[in-house]
């Protein structure tokens, strides 16, 4: 019996298309690649990158007790290893373009050969465990669309399996490209099984959390054996990438002594406690080669954790943070030699003027391995609004080359996020990621903006709603003041009203120009000349006497 056979667990997930969209598939080399299609009222359509899996497909049958269709099973079963390894990196190095590479190329609108090249040099990763056949592959790298991650998972004081499965589906519905299960509470193994079997996106974990649970929550009792067995258990289940805080070395711990907020990473503080308790070097560091061999067998991607990331503006870019980054660079090269894909995790809390240095150093020290950053928060002063403080940093670091942004919800620093917080965090980070795509000039990124702007200018209100990241909220805000159906084609909204609607006035100018055979500039000039004549006719006075009518 598997965890999913447990009928006492009854998750209810959101299904059906996002308002105003429908699921379409493009057939590419026999592979079905999903998109979110928005049909416009002018007969055109826009296809958008879609992370929501079969849940938004009207034709799909969803049964959470069965899990999703295993679309990759035959891809994995049919191919031979490359140089004895089954990782995307090994295939790429051997010149093989895998089906996963074709899938992501179609999603991103790029050449499969380009995908292979980027994976082969380690500048991009495709986190796809052989044991997670349900996943729709995604690529993470600076030359591709900026991705976002949503964290879910229970804690000792809150949440259930049902809640976590619901949050998984909810997060991917709004655009989460990957989801991390950070469960630290009860039933960690079962919760993860439910998440994996029902997830269309890559799943990441931090295995040290479960290892710590296994030894009763005392970091000093941790051992390499307990940790290794946990990693193998999670690899077997199908986890696609794992945060490993192997760069927290014993000699770096004193560097954090004078920090304002010390060590804020959970994994970092656990490993620092272990190193101090035993006065020995981290077992993650000393056993790193064995860890590479385990991950390689499943094609699990390393997300080398920043256990010493700054937890406050005061601690940004300090000696502890960059000492660890240097070690992560060293480990990146070891992992790549073993054909294991690698991402590097980054901060945290960094003021805007210190962000660029993070990207420059990460690229230099870690051979341009995809950077995966938490925000960073650009200021510390806004608890309850840290999705915004962090999106400011995230947009900037994404523009500078970060490949994946880990979302922050309004509950950051305050409590476990609920469903609404998850949606707010995801939408906020989609904004940051897309803004970075635009700034980087990613081919095709602006098409989405152009389609929405055009709809806005032409007062196609329904199209404007449907093209937005959150159609329901956009429509609800509009309808709050102008709910009647005719308002969906009206040439104004309640913000400026009919007489001051600048877009309507611009359209009037254009119409006048067309009717009078003028360019727009000439139309404006002619209009101004007319007004000037009237001014002189009235005696050239700025203020005219009030006339009773
Ligand atoms: S009324 Fe103002 S906000 Fe509304 S559509 Fe016109 S210009 Fe835009």
């Amino acid at each position: 019996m598997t965890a999913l056979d447990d009928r006492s667990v009854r998750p209810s997930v959101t299904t059906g298309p996002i308002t105003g969209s429908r699921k379409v598939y493009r057939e590419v080399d026999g592979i079905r690649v999903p998109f979110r299609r928005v049909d416009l009222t002018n007969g055109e359509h826009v296809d958008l990158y879609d992370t929501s899996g079969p849940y938004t497909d009207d034709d799909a049958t969803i049964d959470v007790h069965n899990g999703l269709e295993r679309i990759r099973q035959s891809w994995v079963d049919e191919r031979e290893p490359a140089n004895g390894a089954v990782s995307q990196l090994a295939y790429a190095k051997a010149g093989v373009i895998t089906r996963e590479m074709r899938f992501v190329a179609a999603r991103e609108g790029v050449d499969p050969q380009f995908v292979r090249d980027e994976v082969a040099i380690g500048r991009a990763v495709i986190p796809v465990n052989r044991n997670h056949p349900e996943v729709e592959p995604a690529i993470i790298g600076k030359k591709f669309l900026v991705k976002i991650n949503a964290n879910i998972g229970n804690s000792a004081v809150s949440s259930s399996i049902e809640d976590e499965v619901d949050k998984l589906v909810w997060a991917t519905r709004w655009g989460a490209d990957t989801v991390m299960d950070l469960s630290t509470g009860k039933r960690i193994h079962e919760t993860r099984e439910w998440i994996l079997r029902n997830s269309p996106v890559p799943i990441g974990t931090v295995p040290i959390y479960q290892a710590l649970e296994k030894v009763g929550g005392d970091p000093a009792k941790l051992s390499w054996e307990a940790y290794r067995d946990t990693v193998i258990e999670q690899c077997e289940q199908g986890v696609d990438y794992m945060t490993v805080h192997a760069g927290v070395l014993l000699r770096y711990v004193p560097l954090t002594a004078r920090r304002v907020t010390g060590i804020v990473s959970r994994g970092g503080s656990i490993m620092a406690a272990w190193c101090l308790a035993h006065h020995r070097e981290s077992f993650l560091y000393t056993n790193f080669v064995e860890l590479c061999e385990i991950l390689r067998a499943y094609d699990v991607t390393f997300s080398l954790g920043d256990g010493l990331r700054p937890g406050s503006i005061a601690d940004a870019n300090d000696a502890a943070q960059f000492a660890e980054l240097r070690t992560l660079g060293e480990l990146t090269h070891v992992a790549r030699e073993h054909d294991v894909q690698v991402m590097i995790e980054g901060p945290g809390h960094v003021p805007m003027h210190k962000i660029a240095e993070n990207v420059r150093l990460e690229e230099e020290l870690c051979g341009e391995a995809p950077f995966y950053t938490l925000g960073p928060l650009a200021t510390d002063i806004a608890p309850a609004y840290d999705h915004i403080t962090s999106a400011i940093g995230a947009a900037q670091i994404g523009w500078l080359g970060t490949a994946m942004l880990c979302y922050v919800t309004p509950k950051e620093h305050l409590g476990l996020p609920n469903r609404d917080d998850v949606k707010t965090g995801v939408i906020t980070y989609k904004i940051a990621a897309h803004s970075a795509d635009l700034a980087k000039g990613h081919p095709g990124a602006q098409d989405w903006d152009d389609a929405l702007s055009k709809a806005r200018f032409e007062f196609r209100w329904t199209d404007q709603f449907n093209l937005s990241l959150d159609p329901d909220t956009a429509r609800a805000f509009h309808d709050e003041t102008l709910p009647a159906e005719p308002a969906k084609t009206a040439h104004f909204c309640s913000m400026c009203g009919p007489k001051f609607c600048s877009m309507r006035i611009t359209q009037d100018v254009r119409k006048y120009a067309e009717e009078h055979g003028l360019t727009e500039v000439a139309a404006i000039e002619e209009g101004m000349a007319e007004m000037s004549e009237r001014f002189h006719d009235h005696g050239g006075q700025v203020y005219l006497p009030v006339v009773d009518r």
Side-chain angles (χ1 to χ4, degrees):
M1 176 167 146
T2 74
L4 272 60
D5 292 326
D6 183 351
R7 296 280 153 176
S8 68
V9 180
R10 284 195 284 269
S12 108
V13 296
T14 308
T15 57
I18 291 171
T19 309
S21 304
R22 65 189 165 98
K23 176 81 89 187
V24 294
Y25 296 90
R26 276 188 216 151
E27 286 279 329
V28 182
D29 300 327
I31 303 169
R32 292 174 86 216
V33 183
F35 290 90
R36 170 188 159 197
R37 175 163 293 178
V38 183
D39 291 304
L40 305 178
T41 55
N42 64 2
E44 296 170 6
H45 68 258
V46 179
D47 284 349
L48 303 173
Y49 192 102
D50 180 22
T51 59
S52 60
Y55 299 101
T56 50
D57 184 349
D58 255 344
D59 297 329
T61 309
I62 302 295
D63 178 356
V64 287
H65 286 275
N66 276 336
L68 297 177
E69 188 189 339
R70 301 171 156 240
I71 55 165
R72 285 178 60 240
Q73 195 65 61
S74 61
W75 308 359
V76 172
D77 291 345
E78 282 164 14
R79 64 185 168 225
E80 294 296 321
N83 300 321
V86 292
S87 68
Q88 296 294 318
L89 178 54
Y91 289 119
K93 281 185 190 169
V96 176
I97 297 176
T98 62
R99 287 181 168 226
E100 287 83 352
M101 293 175 200
R102 291 187 194 284
F103 189 99
V104 300
R107 273 187 130 172
E108 302 262 346
V110 299
D111 193 285
Q113 185 63 41
F114 178 68
V115 169
R116 191 212 66 87
D117 295 347
E118 289 293 304
V119 173
I121 59 169
R123 196 155 58 189
V125 295
I126 304 176
V128 279
N129 184 327
R130 314 169 37 81
N131 291 343
H132 188 194
E134 300 89 350
V135 75
E136 295 174 352
I139 191 160
I140 301 166
K142 66 187 277 192
K143 301 280 181 183
F144 302 92
L145 290 165
V146 175
K147 304 300 183 299
I148 67 162
N149 170 69
N151 290 335
I152 61 168
N154 65 12
S155 78
V157 290
S158 189
S159 208
S160 63
I161 291 176
E162 283 90 343
D163 286 348
E164 297 316 313
V165 175
D166 175 38
K167 278 191 227 166
L168 159 79
V169 175
W170 191 236
T172 59
R173 180 179 184 84
W174 300 113
D177 295 281
T178 76
V179 166
M180 287 196 83
D181 172 19
L182 303 184
S183 293
T184 54
K186 294 194 187 92
R187 306 181 71 185
I188 292 184
H189 182 96
E190 291 93 323
T191 304
R192 193 168 51 236
E193 187 66 19
W194 276 95
I195 289 172
L196 279 163
R197 302 287 74 83
N198 286 291
S199 175
V201 301
I203 295 295
T205 60
V206 188
I208 199 94
Y209 297 169
Q210 191 187 5
L212 188 67
E213 288 289 330
K214 287 181 181 175
V215 297
D218 179 358
K221 290 204 180 112
L222 277 168
S223 64
W224 160 244
E225 289 72 22
Y227 181 82
R228 179 198 59 201
D229 293 349
T230 306
V231 166
I232 293 171
E233 174 190 330
Q234 299 195 5
C235 286
E236 280 290 324
Q237 272 190 298
V239 169
D240 301 289
Y241 67 92
M242 292 184 186
T243 296
V244 179
H245 298 97
V248 180
L249 302 188
L250 179 60
R251 63 179 181 275
Y252 299 156
V253 180
L255 298 177
T256 64
R258 291 183 178 278
R259 278 180 162 186
V260 169
T261 46
I263 300 176
V264 295
S265 147
R266 284 190 274 188
S269 62
I270 294 165
M271 287 317 298
W274 187 90
C275 290
L276 291 178
H278 297 270
H279 209 78
R280 274 173 41 207
E281 196 46 277
S282 157
F283 58 76
L284 298 177
Y285 182 76
T286 55
N287 292 286
F288 192 73
V289 168
E290 192 178 338
L291 203 48
C292 288
E293 281 160 5
I294 297 168
L295 267 57
R296 177 182 192 251
Y298 298 87
D299 196 10
V300 173
T301 299
F302 271 120
S303 185
L304 293 178
D306 53 341
L308 301 181
R309 68 168 174 265
S312 55
I313 291 297
D315 297 340
N317 294 20
D318 71 355
Q321 185 195 337
F322 289 151
E324 182 189 34
L325 188 60
R326 257 176 220 101
T327 302
L328 298 186
E330 176 201 320
L331 297 174
T332 299
H333 298 296
V334 176
R336 283 180 180 167
E337 279 163 24
H338 288 81
D339 293 333
V340 183
Q341 306 186 85
V342 185
M343 296 188 279
I344 302 293
E345 293 185 11
H349 293 240
V350 184
M352 289 200 290
H353 62 289
K354 291 188 177 179
I355 287 177
E357 193 183 4
N358 279 272
V359 181
R360 185 185 62 75
L361 269 180
E362 189 274 344
E363 292 192 344
E364 185 186 312
L365 297 171
C366 306
E368 292 188 280
F371 205 16
Y372 168 26
T373 61
L374 178 68
L377 283 73
T379 170
D380 294 341
I381 62 164
Y385 296 89
D386 278 334
H387 56 308
I388 297 173
T389 60
S390 66
I392 291 168
Q396 201 172 57
I397 209 163
W399 176 18
L400 291 165
T402 286
M404 183 154 77
L405 306 168
C406 182
Y407 87 168
V408 171
T409 76
K411 288 277 170 61
E412 185 74 11
H413 303 115
L414 303 171
L416 195 70
N418 63 23
R419 207 171 187 265
D420 290 344
D421 302 320
V422 167
K423 181 177 174 186
T424 303
V426 169
I427 299 279
T428 307
Y429 269 67
K430 287 299 287 182
I431 296 167
H434 185 73
S435 303
D437 290 335
L438 287 173
K440 286 184 357 181
H442 189 282
Q446 200 185 316
D447 295 350
W448 189 356
D449 299 73
D450 293 349
L452 194 145
S453 300
K454 211 159 163 257
R456 178 177 285 155
F457 188 68
E458 291 170 6
F459 298 103
R460 287 183 276 115
W461 290 96
T462 304
D463 291 345
Q464 188 186 160
F465 306 147
N466 293 347
L467 281 165
S468 66
L469 280 171
D470 181 359
D472 304 325
T473 306
R475 178 184 287 267
F477 281 9
H478 174 269
D479 289 2
E480 211 173 283
T481 44
L482 292 171
E485 206 41 45
K488 301 295 185 301
T489 49
H491 284 203
F492 65 93
C493 74
S494 64
M495 185 163 170
C496 328
K499 289 198 180 137
F500 287 88
C501 177
S502 56
M503 293 204 291
R504 184 192 59 75
I505 294 167
T506 309
Q507 288 196 359
D508 289 349
V509 169
R510 287 190 177 174
K511 199 162 159 239
Y512 181 90
E514 209 180 296
E515 283 169 4
H516 292 77
L518 302 165
T519 64
E520 276 174 47
V521 176
I524 291 166
E525 278 172 2
E526 191 172 295
M528 283 169 74
E530 210 176 289
M531 291 306 286
S532 166
E533 215 170 285
R534 281 166 64 187
F535 178 71
H536 286 296
D537 287 351
H538 286 96
Q541 291 176 56
V542 175
Y543 299 108
L544 297 175
V546 177
V547 180
D548 287 334
R549 288 168 194 263

